[in-house]
Amino acid sequence: MNENDVMMLKTPFHSRVEAACEINLWGNWMGYTTPDAYFDVELEYFAVRSTTGVFDLSPMNKYRISGPDAAHFLDRMMTRNMHKLAIDRVAYVVWCNDAGQLMDDGTVFRLAENEYRLCSYAKANDWLYWCSLGFDVTITDETAEVAALAVQGPTSCSTLTAMGLEGLEELKPFDIRNYRFDGEILSVSRTGFTGDLGYELWITPSKAEDLWDRLFEAGKQFLIKPFGSHALDIARIETGFVQAGVDFVMAQDLIRPGRSRSPLEMGLGWLVDFEKTHFNGRRALLKERETGSRYRFVILDVDGNKPADHSFILKGDKQVGNVTSAAWCPTAKSNVAFAQIEMPYGEFGEELTAEIYYERELHWTRVLAPCRVLDGPVFNPGRRRQTPAVAF
Amino acid sequence: MDKYDVIVIGAGHNGLTNGAYLAKSGLRVAVLERNPYIGGATVSRELHKGWFYSNCSYVCSLLRPEITRDLELPRHGLQVVPYGGGVTMMRNGDHFGNYHDHDRQYREMARFSKRDANAYERYAADVMKQTRLIRPFLLKRPPDPTSLKLRDLKDLAEFAGAFLDMGEEGLADTIRFWTKSVGDYLDEYFETDVIKAHMAGSGIIGTALGVYSPGTAYVLLHHYMGDVDGNVGEWGFARGGMGAVADALAKSFQSFGGEIICDADVDQITIKNGKTTGVALKNGNEIGAPIVVSNLDPKRTFLDVMDPADLPEEVIKKAEKFKIRGSSGKLNIALDGLPTFNNLPNDSPLRVGEMHFSDSLTRLERAYDDWKDGTWSKDPYVDMLIPTQVDPTMAPPGKHMMSVFVQYAPPKIEGEEWTDADKDGFEKSVLDQISAYSPDFKDLILHCETRTPREIEAEVGLTEGNIFQGELTFDQLLFNRPFPGYAQYRGPIKGMYMCGSGTHPGGGVMAAPGANAAREILADLKRPDIIPGGYADD
């Protein structure tokens, strides 16, 4: 059967994922059928925070960028200085259009001298093609050629070490190390989207099922569980990670003017290196830096226990922004919301109000919940950074 | 001038909560603890190398989320991990699984009775109505119905309002719920014995009553009104054991400048000219403070650490008559591996929750008969959990820790003190009960801590080993807890207060009594109220 004859693609781990997905709650991620939850969103979330959770991230868009100009090309495209990225290191990146508006965020893996992998939230073939004109690089979409698992949580290092990945505890955040796995290369990076100690495993699809089996066998004594996209969403909000398409509109999708955001407006100014040579959006961002941004991205601590989903944010009676992501955070035990706030509001410590609507038995109630602008995420444990990785 | 403004006796979770709020308000507070370690009945101890037991309380749900958040307990190291479901294993080799997932729960109940599976919806809604009534009052002092003070009248009006909002039928239901036996209550909904038996356990835990004794339906409610992350009725494990709750409270307390003094066994609360002046320790030291808060149960407070000469005779009488009957024991077991249970796969989600073996209300009632006869149950009800299935910190990898709450165990054996031989007999009845359903269980035991009411009283200080600091019967709830006239945390002497589970809203690791008592103390000192109010349910 031709790949195009099916509605939904299956990841290289599908046979294992399907067997583990007890409640048959499936979603669509980039055209792949992936579990929203395996057995219970709450318990899956806690696997990530208390033991080890495993997430199949194979559908993530992956592009191999190689050639003599690879570093120059990436440096031109990304707002960070990509010449500083050493071999076997990973960088979190964002990239902009010429107007300095966010196209997407992602990660760049430097695999060898002139070899990079870009993981992006949205498909980037078109943008990569136009940006690469004039550079001696080859760009290949390797999404289907690389199977990937995120292994996240306090016992993740112990699990992977028990699977035979010796010396893994020495890996620093954003390091990459390659291991042998049945004659193939198993690439391990200390990266993830949960804000906890965690790793991502990258392997050829033919070894995917064996990897899953060995991982779960080794992780049994460390209480390993799979987790789906719903649990991931709670974890990422708790740890302050924005998501493209949710917390900002990707500039290439924009229809209504003014609704995209710059990295400075998303609290991602630390990713913008004005000292380096030209990059896409530099002029616009320089101007924004001088004249000021339109919006400010804030993390809010909201009173009460009603998640401030889609709430308007008020200063007194004036509407000054709205919430893009919200969740009750089960480990931090706080009610967190990400919001875009009109300047000059939203400075650290400022008291605002979330206008929350919630429903109980078809009855809608409106509450005006006081909230405060935080200076960072509510969950940010030391073990996330500690090297050597601590044994839970 | 005294070194402290306040002395709190007892570093249990309520004493620490009380101390934390008083210290946060700016008072100089010392919490005294008789043991060399803190926690009271909220404690994790390493009694076998590499294994940590939740020695007393073992699961978490009632702990008020408002307090957890306000005192920043997560930042101070507390993580509560919910568990799903539970199971009652049956004598015929089958089991009833109480799945966390609603659809699975329905299918499992329907395996026994479709009507029961459907009736569960009605049952859950009725119980939820009762939790909605009571939850808003957990973080409030109980109003005194005989008082004409504005605050009492306002609180009473609010309570009456919530009550009347339920309508005629709701009112009748509420009275039924508060007075009925859990057995009678469940009979109104379900026909399957094992389903009723599974649910009924919550109605007797910690209570010297049987499933057909009036008042046990409320005890079920008491176990149902907590929540984990807003999921009412759900329970969880504190990562690292229940001691993590006390440790986080202690860190919060210390972050406000509070001091914890261990090995400080209070002999007496000292009183001069009708005012509290501090405490005298058994070692002869005296510590002065104008305010003394007792986290001890009402009997210990008024009959042990206070001089009868300082007290109104009415208080002594009430303390003597206060019902605080021992009814339970506990086994904490270090296991060399995960035991197998008949017909229940090792990876079944049911095993992550509470496991029981009493498959009928008759067996539960017979177990209570043994208590009345003055002996431990020969066919005991156990509430058994293996937290190491989700908590990697309480035992080495691949090893496990089992917490077995046991009912019934009387405070005395046929009127005599417990002997070591009695304790061995009690332990054997529990181990035999478990191994009847698990062939390899006994071979996996590496260490077992057995606690009868004797050990609980001696080590934790709970009179008769009663885990709630007094029975949770209607005559000892709200403005009657611990007794009329003293239900608003103030003792009979100026400067003396109570903050333990013997006060409203009662037992369980809730921290509400400690917080509510702090509010009253701050009010008396004319300091701002910094205790959080309850989250509204809708």
Side-chain angles (χ1 to χ4, degrees), chain A residues 209-334:
Chain A
E209 289 163 329
D210 288 346
L211 175 64
W212 179 285
D213 294 343
R214 294 253 293 274
L215 176 67
F216 276 79
E217 187 52 39
K220 208 171 163 183
Q221 59 179 328
F222 300 105
L223 314 175
I224 195 168
K225 297 273 184 218
F227 69 103
S229 55
H230 287 348
L232 179 66
D233 201 44
I234 303 172
R236 69 114 188 150
I237 293 172
E238 188 168 47
T239 205
F241 289 155
V242 296
Q243 181 160 352
V246 175
D247 297 302
F248 63 89
V249 179
M250 292 162 283
Q252 67 268 32
D253 296 342
L254 191 75
I255 296 165
R256 296 163 186 83
R259 298 203 178 166
S260 59
R261 296 289 178 265
S262 79
L264 307 181
E265 291 170 334
M266 283 307 297
L268 300 172
W270 62 280
L271 293 173
V272 182
D273 184 352
F274 288 111
E275 305 305 313
K276 71 171 194 170
T277 51
H278 192 71
F279 59 92
N280 289 348
R282 183 172 187 268
R283 258 190 305 265
L285 290 171
L286 265 177
K287 186 165 173 238
E288 182 184 334
R289 191 171 69 164
E290 281 161 26
T291 60
S293 301
R294 301 162 299 166
Y295 299 97
R296 193 190 327 252
F297 170 82
V298 298
I299 301 177
L300 297 169
D301 181 27
V302 184
D303 274 10
N305 59 356
K306 309 288 182 298
D309 287 307
H310 312 298
S311 291
F312 288 121
I313 299 298
L314 314 176
K315 176 76 186 180
D317 293 333
K318 183 179 147 78
Q319 185 188 317
V320 295
N322 63 275
V323 170
T324 55
S325 288
W328 172 264
C329 299
T331 294
K333 298 285 183 233
S334 46

Side-chain angles (χ1 to χ4, degrees), chain B residues 6-19 22 31 292-298 301-302 469 482 486 488-491 496-506 508 510-519 521:
Chain B
V6 183
I7 288 168
V8 181
I9 307 171
H13 65 279
N14 278 314
L16 292 166
T17 303
N18 186 263
L22 298 179
V31 174
V292 175
V293 189
S294 173
N295 186 28
L296 311 179
D297 69 52
T301 300
F302 295 113
Q469 284 203 353
Y486 296 96
Q488 294 183 340
Y489 312 97
R490 289 174 188 82
M496 189 255 152
Y497 296 83
M498 295 166 276
C499 75
S501 296
T503 58
H504 171 80
M510 204 176 333
N516 289 345
R519 186 189 291 113
I521 295 166

Side-chain angles (χ1 to χ4, degrees), chain A residues 22-23 39-40 42-43 46 49-51 154-155 221-223 301-306 328-335 358 360 365 372 383 392, chain B residues 65 68-69 74 78-84 100-101 104 228-231 234 239 347 349 388-393 397-398 400 535-538:
Chain A
E22 293 177 23
I23 55 174
F39 51 97
D40 183 303
E42 227 189 329
L43 303 186
F46 273 106
R49 290 287 184 250
S50 177
T51 60
T155 63
Q221 59 179 328
F222 300 105
L223 314 175
D301 181 27
V302 184
D303 274 10
N305 59 356
K306 309 288 182 298
W328 172 264
C329 299
T331 294
K333 298 285 183 233
S334 46
N335 193 15
Y358 67 93
R360 293 282 185 276
T365 307
R372 279 154 307 283
R383 66 178 179 241
F392 49 99
Chain B
T68 301
R69 189 176 178 188
L78 177 64
Q79 189 183 21
V80 177
V81 181
Y83 59 80
H100 192 235
D101 178 70
R104 273 169 122 175
V228 178
D229 297 315
N231 297 304
E234 192 166 283
R239 195 174 193 259
D347 58 357
T388 41
Q389 293 172 99
V390 296
D391 184 347
T393 68
H400 289 278
Y535 292 149
D537 274 334
D538 59 13

Side-chain angles (χ1 to χ4, degrees), chain A residues 42-69:
Chain A
E42 227 189 329
L43 303 186
E44 289 166 37
Y45 158 85
F46 273 106
V48 175
R49 290 287 184 250
S50 177
T51 60
T52 292
V54 178
F55 185 85
D56 177 5
L57 53 87
S58 305
M60 171 79 77
N61 291 300
K62 299 177 276 290
Y63 302 93
R64 181 65 71 109
I65 295 158
S66 48
D69 285 348

